[in-house]
Amino acid sequence: LLIPSYAEEPEIVRMALWSAALQEFPHLRVTLLLDDDPYANDPASVRRRTETVALVEDLGRQLSAVHERTAATARSLRAALERGEIDARDATATAMHTHAAGAAWLRDLAAAQPAHTNVERFFATQVLGRLADDLAATADALARAVEEDSEPLDPARALELVQRVVHIFGARVTVFERKRYASLSHDANKAANLNNYLGLLG
């Protein structure tokens, strides 16, 4: 998923990146095509670009931490399933805890967001908050399935649900700056920005 950006405020870029990165697709890579001048002398331009690059790195670290924990749970559950060492109730409980942890992580992230503008409030409540609510609702349903008088999930289905959370937090986030390369077009428009990157991908 490509996000072209030129002279955007870092806060807007950050919300766009999070909104893209939290899509439920396996092996998702989100690339910010940053078109700001990497050699600018203007202090405001330097600040904007520096903050934007830093937020891409920070977002990647945050996602990586929660993804590694979730992926480790999926690997452990898969191994136990292959060895036949886990029953349906324990597998369902694992899926429940994974969804609940994901919801809690998203709610903490939402609570830490700025809320000065309508866009910021929308991002916190409708992007992060609604995904958290979705995971929490699934966790609640799984909790009911774990109860003594309920029927738990088949362990293979429980693994699929855990893998769903792995996908949500599994995006790789990178930044590409075409203006660092003399061999690429420096035309001042986003179409050139996109076309340069797509050309490199072949």
Side-chain angles (χ1 to χ4, degrees), residues 91-108:
T92 303
T94 298
M96 181 268 291
H97 289 304
T98 303
H99 279 73
W105 188 87
L106 285 165
R107 284 173 174 160
D108 287 344

Side-chain angles (χ1 to χ4, degrees), residues 72-91:
T73 298
R75 289 192 298 270
S76 177
L77 179 56
R78 182 180 292 105
L81 188 60
E82 290 172 352
R83 295 191 302 267
E85 296 177 353
I86 190 166
D87 62 20
R89 203 167 299 279
D90 287 343

Side-chain angles (χ1 to χ4, degrees), residues 33-104:
L33 304 181
L34 183 60
D35 225 19
D36 296 24
D37 184 358
Y39 309 110
N41 294 317
D42 172 56
S45 298
V46 172
R47 172 199 61 81
R48 186 171 54 234
R49 180 190 164 275
T50 301
E51 290 182 7
T52 299
V53 172
L55 73 84
V56 172
E57 295 172 351
D58 181 61
L59 190 154
R61 282 193 296 270
Q62 291 185 68
L63 269 181
S64 179
V66 65
H67 175 256
E68 282 304 314
R69 291 195 298 271
T70 310
T73 298
R75 289 192 298 270
S76 177
L77 179 56
R78 182 180 292 105
L81 188 60
E82 290 172 352
R83 295 191 302 267
E85 296 177 353
I86 190 166
D87 62 20
R89 203 167 299 279
D90 287 343
T92 303
T94 298
M96 181 268 291
H97 289 304
T98 303
H99 279 73

